[in-house]
């Protein structure tokens, strides 16, 4: 799934993405680390993996979108 990086805190390695429908979805350090990233800037297109549904939905993987 694709999204856009919305927030990112380099100290906690956590932040949030905006899904293409505008829905914000937070991610934690484990999801950030799983993608092998060192830095993320708001506005970057990212690829995410999500598990769960509704209120239990969470990002498990975030990395840069590549073509």
């Amino acid at each position: 799934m694709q999204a856009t990086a919305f927030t990112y805190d380099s100290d906690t390695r956590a932040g949030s993405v905006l899904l293409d429908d505008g829905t914000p979805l937070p991610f934690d350090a484990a999801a950030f680390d799983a993608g092998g990233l060192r830095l993320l800037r708001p506005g970057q297109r990212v690829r995410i993996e999500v598990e769960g549904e509704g209120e239990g939905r969470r990002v498990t993987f975030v990395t840069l979108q590549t073509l």
Side-chain angles (χ1 to χ4, degrees):
M1 173 184 297
Q2 295 181 26
T4 302
F6 185 54
T7 64
Y8 174 68
D9 182 327
S10 60
D11 292 330
T12 64
R13 298 183 327 281
S16 64
V17 297
L18 289 178
L19 302 180
D20 289 343
D21 68 2
T23 303
L25 196 58
F27 63 85
D28 58 17
F32 181 81
D33 293 344
L37 296 176
R38 295 187 320 187
L39 180 65
L40 187 62
R41 292 183 182 93
Q44 286 182 300
R45 287 296 285 176
V46 294
R47 184 173 63 87
I48 60 172
E49 293 180 10
V50 178
E51 68 180 28
E53 294 188 26
E55 294 294 319
R57 186 163 65 165
R58 66 184 193 93
V59 175
T60 59
F61 179 89
V62 60
T63 193
L64 293 180
Q65 176 64 37
T66 58
L67 299 175

